[in-house]
Amino acid sequence: MALRTCLTLSMYLSVLLLAFAEDLECIPGFQQKVFHIEQPSEFTEDQPILNLVFDDCEGNDKVNFEVSNPDFKVEPNGSLVALKNMTDAGRALFIHARSTQAEDMAEVLIVGGKDKHGSLKELFKIEGNLGILRQKRAIVATAILIPENQRPPFPRVVGRVINSDGTEGSKFRLSGKGVDQEPKGAFKINENSGEVLVTRSLDREAIPTYQLQVEITDVSGKSIEGPVLLDIIVIDQNDNRPIFREGPYVGHVMEGSPTGSTVMRMMAFDADDPGTDNALLRYNILKQTPDKPSPNMFFIDPEKGDIVTVVSPALLDRETMENPKYELIIEAKDMAGLDVGLTGTATATIVIDDKNDHPPEFTKKEFQATVKEGVTGVIVNLTVEDQDDPATGAWRAVYTIINGNPGQSFEIHTNPKTNEGMLSVVKPLDYEISAFHTLLIKVENEDPLVPDIAYGPSSTATVQITVVDVNEGPVFHPDPMTVTKQENIPIGSVVLTVNATDPDTLQHQTIRYSLYKDPAGWLEINPTNGTIITTAILDRESPYVHNNVYTALFLAIDSGNPPATGTGTLQMTLEDVNDNAPAIYPMLAKVCDDAKDLRVVVLGASDKDLHPNTDPFRFELSKQSGPDKVWKITKINNTHAQVSLLQNLKKANYNIPILVTDSGKPPLTNNTELKVQVCSCKKSKMDCSAADALHSSMNLILLFSLFSLFCKFS
């Protein structure tokens, strides 16, 4: 009865345990990550050492095991075996397992084994100093490898630090970045057993490695061993898609390029570990738009990302394409392109560039144009056709007049918008000389044609130009008309007789003349014979005269219907005569009544006339009144003289009569007065305020004296 009850209870518990196991969430990876084995006297070939259990929770498809020591391997059933007989395998083995769905790392610690360095770094392509085994005294801290993106539950054991001394009461203490430094709390250690635990999921792309410090403390917390470095290495997972970061991607290829011509290179970036397949990219073209003339115009090198042409040069003909621009959807896939790889896409735009393989051709062989004589400007637009790309020099036209333009009366320029040739008259045409003109014009491109293409007969055209007769205005001969006259000649003097002719020689017309512009009002013209006479005195010093030249305009009007007018210019040079007396400057001078320097002022003289009717000037004092002569004037040069006192005078105003004479023939003299103020000067200040109240001049003093004597004797 008891046996039956135990069996029933056992079956019931088994069912419960099985149901509980099914409810647990599967955690991909090794079910046990750290193993401890004693160093045997010898590892025997093909003899199982221990059994590893790896489960990717998806059926373990294509599981692959790698061992840090190449003398060991893991069988498909998870057995770790040696590949040969050996006595030394180092202090640790690292086993890396990878399937299509997951990967993980396990560590086998060999107690009593000797150090072996370098194998882990070489096998897993991890840069930097791993610290695979560091020992200081009794602490054994081997590197711990942790896959990124692990799922809960946390914390979970990822490794162990060994205290070989095993001092009673001692404890482990862990510190460093990830423990008590940011990011804080990612790792912790069981202070008694030395087990290292990770408390949350890690991101290799954020922090690929951690360097922690392990030390052993006594009961009071005092460090008795260490610190020793403990390396935590985050194993990459394929959690980053390839991305194209340098877009937009635009490539160009010349039409007619040979098969295999490189167009451009596409490069994607994967943030995963570049030393693993997680970042090993392969490229592929998913779609081509448009798909004409071939759906496979281009090929991309799966490893390099180079896009090349794969069609014949004949299919790369821009002029026959529906659209000379192609868009390719490019895919980059990691995991070396396997189906499990992550993908990223980008659009590559490829432009088929034009080359000059089509010469421009005129739309017709002969163009007609009509232009009035005497008119300039565009008279006709010449049209051409060109199949090349309008945005290039292979389409833009260059026109040249190759015959029929000996007088350079015509020019042709390209309209940049329409590519038409704008033929212009730049020198007015004369119907009386030639009523018809024939031009031969050629057209070329800015860019040279490709070697096997040449310009043909359609690249030249003829332009027939008809000149229309118009009533042209008379023309003065010469124009301008120049004449030289003396100023001040008598009113009614003849200046000259103008001459104008009508260029319309086939029309018999008469010409009459009129005055158009006469700024000073000095002239008139006979309307019939064109004789110009003076109506006022000519004055070279007039403001209407510039550089001795007076300018007037006259009209010649023909008898056409409507009448035409021509304008002629008269430039009359006026010769100078001595008709302006010189003037002195300044007109006012000041001097101190106690001045030691009796020089009063330097006088200058100017004359509106021209040499020789100007300087040298002669300066003189008019007759001085009074018994004593107190002024004198002395010549300095041809245009200046010095006025001085012969003695000090009292404070007053004095008017000094000055005569200045020019050198003309006959000479002209100007009799003027220089006002001199004699002022009191004290402490470098000149006071002239009372000068008018004291005296007006020497003449007033004399007049006052005579008046006093007259009153006395009357």
Side-chain angles (χ1 to χ4, degrees):
M1 181 68 180
L3 179 59
R4 185 179 304 134
T5 302
C6 289
L7 288 173
T8 302
L9 183 59
S10 176
M11 292 175 61
Y12 177 72
L13 290 174
S14 298
V15 171
L16 286 177
L17 289 173
L18 183 60
F20 177 73
E22 290 178 351
D23 289 338
L24 289 177
E25 180 184 7
C26 178
I27 300 175
F30 284 107
Q31 303 306 301
Q32 180 177 343
K33 300 184 184 299
V34 181
F35 299 85
H36 294 81
I37 62 173
E38 295 290 336
Q39 169 71 47
S41 58
E42 183 181 53
F43 288 101
T44 306
E45 182 179 356
D46 293 333
Q47 289 295 317
I49 302 170
L50 57 85
N51 192 51
L52 299 159
V53 179
F54 175 83
D55 187 0
D56 67 0
C57 303
E58 296 290 341
N60 280 2
D61 182 36
K62 298 180 181 179
V63 178
N64 179 49
F65 295 96
E66 295 174 310
V67 184
S68 60
N69 190 325
D71 295 329
F72 293 84
K73 73 173 183 178
V74 177
E75 298 287 358
N77 62 5
S79 296
L80 175 66
V81 298
L83 296 178
K84 63 180 180 180
N85 297 331
M86 68 184 76
T87 58
D88 182 20
R91 302 199 98 182
L93 298 175
F94 298 92
I95 295 93
H96 183 212
R98 181 200 302 266
S99 73
T100 58
Q101 301 298 325
E103 63 177 326
D104 201 0
M105 185 72 64
E107 181 180 12
V108 179
L109 299 176
I110 304 173
V111 180
K114 297 181 180 179
D115 291 344
K116 265 197 171 183
H117 300 285
S119 57
L120 179 65
K121 181 177 179 180
E122 295 167 1
L123 178 60
F124 300 122
K125 303 181 180 65
I126 300 171
E127 298 179 356
N129 182 11
L130 294 178
I132 292 178
L133 181 62
R134 295 184 177 90
Q135 180 177 3
K136 181 176 182 182
R137 298 180 183 174
I139 301 176
V140 178
T142 57
I144 299 174
L145 289 86
I146 307 174
E148 64 173 334
N149 303 326
Q150 288 183 319
R151 291 181 291 179
F154 292 106
R156 63 169 62 187
V157 177
V158 293
R160 182 180 179 189
V161 178
I162 299 173
N163 179 8
S164 59
D165 286 350
T167 305
E168 184 176 355
S170 62
K171 297 180 182 297
F172 292 96
R173 183 165 61 194
L174 192 63
S175 61
K177 180 180 178 181
V179 181
D180 54 356
Q181 300 175 23
E182 293 296 337
K184 294 181 179 180
F187 304 97
K188 62 182 181 178
I189 192 169
N190 186 312
E191 62 181 13
N192 296 316
S193 66
E195 289 182 333
V196 179
L197 300 95
V198 64
T199 64
R200 55 179 178 260
S201 178
L202 303 180
D203 183 1
R204 189 202 68 86
E205 286 71 42
I207 303 177
T209 62
Y210 297 84
Q211 281 197 333
L212 308 181
Q213 292 184 329
V214 182
E215 53 188 331
I216 298 174
T217 66
D218 58 18
V219 178
S220 65
K222 180 180 179 182
S223 177
I224 57 176
E225 288 289 346
V228 170
L229 288 179
L230 171 63
D231 288 318
I232 305 290
I233 300 163
V234 184
I235 301 300
D236 186 40
Q237 300 288 321
N238 192 20
D239 57 346
N240 289 278
R241 293 182 178 275
I243 59 173
F244 292 88
R245 301 191 299 185
E246 299 176 359
Y249 296 90
V250 181
H252 294 262
V253 62
M254 187 69 68
E255 65 172 329
S257 295
T259 303
S261 297
T262 300
V263 181
M264 60 191 299
R265 172 171 287 187
M266 300 290 290
M267 294 290 291
F269 169 78
D270 195 312
D272 290 320
D273 186 354
T276 68
D277 287 352
N278 297 337
L280 185 58
L281 304 183
R282 293 294 182 264
Y283 299 93
N284 181 41
I285 298 176
L286 296 181
K287 184 180 179 181
Q288 170 191 302
T289 305
D291 58 359
K292 302 278 188 329
S294 168
N296 299 303
M297 300 284 289
F298 307 96
F299 168 79
I300 188 168
D301 186 304
E303 296 184 5
K304 297 180 180 178
D306 290 338
I307 299 177
V308 299
T309 61
V310 292
V311 295
S312 66
L315 288 181
L316 277 179
D317 185 358
R318 183 192 162 280
E319 287 73 33
T320 62
M321 289 179 174
E322 176 184 326
N323 187 347
K325 181 186 294 185
Y326 289 85
E327 288 191 350
L328 307 180
I329 305 299
I330 306 298
E331 176 190 68
K333 181 182 287 188
D334 59 22
M335 297 299 294
L338 295 177
D339 291 342
V340 297
L342 302 178
T343 62
T345 60
T347 299
T349 301
I350 298 177
V351 180
I352 310 301
D353 289 334
D354 187 37
K355 65 180 180 180
N356 198 7
D357 54 353
H358 294 86
E361 296 180 347
F362 284 102
T363 56
K364 52 186 178 181
K365 290 299 296 179
E366 185 174 290
F367 295 84
Q368 303 290 332
T370 301
V371 60
K372 292 181 179 181
E373 65 171 331
V375 175
T376 59
V378 176
I379 59 174
V380 66
N381 291 315
L382 310 184
T383 54
V384 295
E385 293 179 346
D386 195 318
Q387 298 181 44
D388 291 314
D389 185 359
T392 66
W395 178 81
R396 290 190 290 270
V398 178
Y399 298 88
T400 307
I401 302 173
I402 57 177
N403 195 14
N405 191 27
Q408 305 301 308
S409 299
F410 303 93
E411 287 184 358
I412 188 166
H413 300 282
T414 305
N415 185 320
K417 294 182 179 179
T418 64
N419 215 30
E420 295 176 348
M422 301 182 296
L423 181 63
S424 303
V425 175
V426 293
K427 293 182 180 179
L429 304 178
D430 192 338
Y431 173 84
E432 285 71 29
I433 295 177
S434 177
F436 300 97
H437 296 269
T438 301
L439 303 180
L440 185 62
I441 297 176
K442 72 174 181 179
V443 62
E444 297 176 333
N445 288 130
E446 286 185 3
D447 293 347
L449 295 172
V450 295
D452 54 339
I453 303 296
Y455 294 103
S458 297
S459 296
T460 59
T462 301
V463 182
Q464 299 290 349
I465 302 167
T466 301
V467 182
V468 179
D469 187 26
V470 297
N471 185 23
E472 300 172 83
V475 178
F476 283 88
H477 303 283
D479 190 29
M481 301 162 283
T482 59
V483 66
T484 300
K485 294 293 180 179
Q486 271 194 345
E487 63 175 335
N488 298 335
I489 60 175
I491 295 174
S493 299
V494 175
V495 178
L496 85 162
T497 299
V498 301
N499 178 34
T501 59
D502 192 340
D504 297 310
T505 56
L506 301 181
Q507 304 176 28
H508 301 288
Q509 301 182 119
T510 59
I511 296 175
R512 58 186 177 87
Y513 301 95
S514 66
L515 184 62
Y516 180 41
K517 286 186 179 180
D518 179 20
W522 291 342
L523 306 171
E524 70 177 19
I525 187 169
N526 187 300
T528 303
N529 61 23
T531 299
I532 300 172
I533 63 174
T534 62
T535 59
I537 298 298
L538 307 181
D539 183 7
R540 190 198 64 82
E541 292 76 33
S542 167
Y544 299 108
V545 177
H546 303 284
N547 295 325
N548 305 324
V549 176
Y550 179 69
T551 300
L553 300 180
F554 297 88
L555 299 179
I557 306 166
D558 66 19
S559 57
N561 186 20
T565 301
T567 303
T569 301
L570 170 64
Q571 293 179 340
M572 180 167 54
T573 301
L574 297 179
E575 293 180 340
D576 186 44
V577 297
N578 194 20
D579 57 350
N580 290 279
I584 65 168
Y585 60 89
M587 299 296 291
L588 173 66
K590 296 180 181 181
V591 65
C592 294
D593 55 1
D594 58 352
K596 296 180 179 179
D597 184 356
L598 299 180
R599 290 176 296 181
V600 178
V601 67
V602 174
L603 286 181
S606 62
D607 197 316
K608 294 180 180 180
D609 293 319
L610 298 177
H611 191 77
N613 296 321
T614 56
D615 61 275
F617 299 113
R618 185 172 73 252
F619 296 90
E620 299 175 276
L621 288 172
S622 292
K623 183 177 181 182
Q624 298 185 54
S625 303
D628 298 323
K629 294 182 178 181
V630 296
W631 307 97
K632 74 172 181 177
I633 190 165
T634 307
K635 179 179 178 181
I636 297 176
N637 53 33
N638 288 343
T639 57
H640 291 79
Q642 175 75 57
V643 176
S644 304
L645 279 168
L646 297 177
Q647 63 187 37
N648 289 108
L649 297 178
K650 294 181 179 180
K651 183 177 181 180
N653 286 342
Y654 300 89
N655 292 323
I656 313 303
I658 304 292
L659 295 176
V660 56
T661 306
D662 62 24
S663 296
K665 293 183 179 179
L668 293 180
T669 299
N670 185 13
N671 190 351
T672 186
E673 287 186 341
L674 169 67
K675 182 178 180 180
V676 178
Q677 289 183 327
V678 179
C679 309
S680 61
C681 300
K682 295 180 179 180
K683 296 182 180 180
S684 301
K685 292 184 179 180
M686 180 176 284
D687 180 14
C688 303
S689 58
D692 290 332
L694 296 175
H695 298 282
S696 63
S697 69
M698 296 296 291
N699 292 333
L700 290 177
I701 297 173
L702 178 61
L703 180 61
F704 179 75
S705 300
L706 293 174
F707 180 74
S708 299
L709 290 173
F710 175 77
C711 292
K712 183 177 180 180
F713 290 102
S714 63

